[in-house]
Amino acid sequence: MFGRGSRLLAGAVVVAFIVLVGPSTPSGGLFGRSLPAEAVRDVVPNRVMTWNICNPCEVSNADRAADIATYAPQVIGLQEACVRDVEKIRDYLEGLYGLVYHVEYGTVLRSWGRCGGLPWKPGGYGQAILSVAPMKDHVNVEYPDGGSEDRGYMAVTTEVGGQSVRVFNTHLAHRRQEEFRAEQIGVLAPEVRRYDRAIVLGDFNAVPDSPELAKMWTLAEDADPQCRPSATGVCETTTDWQLKFDYVFLRGFAALEQHVHPSRYSDHDLVQADLNPV
């Protein structure tokens, strides 16, 4: 039987090992995977992203963090986000890649099935915003009717490209619940309209020409110039179902670039937009 001193010494050795080898551990290990050669090495100050990270999904938060770190956005909105997962993703981003993010949560329900925890204390589930700059004036709104699952939006004021901006992050009702999405946009759109400079990130579960998105198109444009309700170009898809559900709606900004990055770790892709204030 080991004494207390031996146990403390063993624990200290493990901690020292993690500190020494964690950040340089290569792909596939306990500490996550290395970034591809073309990855960004520091935060891009005018870059925003949106990503439905998929829950419950049996994937590694280290891999999720590596996907985010590859593109290093100033702000990223996550949907289907469990608080515990986001906490781990933040730790990996800082510990492995030196990317330090503030976080705010838009929890809409407590779900043991999705997020784990104790049956009487399940984990929080909903949205989250990570921002390199501090955030203020955080609000979290649950839609009056989420459809088959509670849904909502969150909003913060932060900085993108050196400009103060109101950032919204939302997840609308499931694909075949158009009437619920229309009501939800009826709640969201008036709040977006209050700001001359706003970015709306999220999984809208609707393609660009869906009638329920009409109110959004009247006050903002998507970062993908090919994706408009009446666009004749090729609209880049953002899901495994070859549909565009994920948007970076812009108000008071123009998109310099927009890219969709496929991910093995979700049924949605990462959507990136590099912005320029109008």
Side-chain angles (χ1 to χ4, degrees):
M1 183 74 69
F2 291 109
R4 182 174 182 273
S6 299
R7 291 196 300 271
L8 290 174
L9 177 60
V13 170
V14 171
V15 170
F17 176 80
I18 290 174
V19 170
L20 288 172
V21 308
S24 59
T25 300
S27 172
L30 173 64
F31 304 103
R33 58 182 173 83
S34 57
L35 298 183
E38 68 276 12
V40 173
R41 297 302 168 184
D42 200 358
V43 168
V44 182
N46 66 330
R47 177 168 294 171
V48 299
M49 296 183 72
T50 184
W51 191 20
N52 182 323
I53 59 175
C54 183
N55 268 310
C57 291
E58 297 298 325
V59 299
S60 163
N61 286 311
D63 287 328
R64 287 167 165 163
D67 269 3
I68 294 170
T70 298
Y71 309 105
Q74 173 79 14
V75 170
I76 181 167
L78 303 176
Q79 303 88 43
E80 295 197 18
C82 293
V83 171
R84 289 185 182 88
D85 287 335
V86 176
E87 289 173 344
K88 292 175 183 177
I89 289 168
R90 279 184 76 211
D91 288 344
Y92 282 122
L93 286 168
E94 181 173 0
L96 297 181
Y97 310 112
L99 301 175
V100 180
Y101 287 92
H102 301 271
V103 64
E104 293 286 359
Y105 294 99
T107 296
V108 294
L109 59 89
R110 301 283 170 178
S111 175
W112 180 82
R114 284 186 179 273
C115 298
L118 299 172
W120 57 90
K121 191 178 180 182
Y125 171 83
Q127 287 76 247
I129 293 177
L130 303 181
S131 173
V132 174
M135 293 176 277
K136 62 181 182 180
D137 302 328
H138 170 224
V139 299
N140 185 36
V141 176
E142 187 172 338
Y143 294 126
D145 196 334
S148 56
E149 182 179 79
D150 293 350
R151 295 292 162 91
Y153 78 83
M154 62 180 299
V156 300
T157 298
T158 188
E159 186 177 290
V160 173
Q163 300 291 323
S164 177
V165 59
R166 192 67 170 166
V167 178
F168 295 80
N169 182 20
T170 192
H171 187 191
L172 300 189
H174 287 142
R175 280 189 283 174
R176 295 177 178 84
Q177 298 178 355
E178 295 87 349
E179 68 277 15
F180 295 104
R181 292 198 299 273
E183 293 175 2
Q184 291 162 6
I185 290 177
V187 173
L188 174 64
E191 293 302 311
V192 177
R193 192 183 299 276
R194 294 175 54 206
Y195 297 90
D196 294 331
R197 184 176 288 121
I199 299 169
V200 186
L201 309 170
D203 174 5
F204 283 72
N205 270 318
V207 295
D209 61 355
S210 299
E212 64 269 26
L213 291 187
K215 289 182 179 179
M216 287 301 302
W217 291 117
T218 64
L219 53 88
E221 291 188 347
D222 185 58
D224 184 351
Q226 301 298 320
C227 282
R228 302 288 187 270
S230 57
T232 58
V234 178
C235 182
E236 201 166 5
T237 63
T238 66
T239 69
D240 287 356
W241 315 288
Q242 298 301 303
L243 298 169
K244 179 181 172 69
F245 282 171
D246 305 274
Y247 295 82
V248 178
F249 280 112
L250 304 175
R251 185 172 170 86
F253 283 89
L256 299 175
E257 290 185 308
Q258 192 267 355
H259 300 284
V260 176
H261 304 290
S263 173
R264 292 180 294 162
Y265 310 112
S266 175
D267 50 6
H268 288 251
D269 302 324
L270 294 87
V271 180
Q272 165 207 326
D274 294 353
L275 309 181
N276 186 36
V278 175

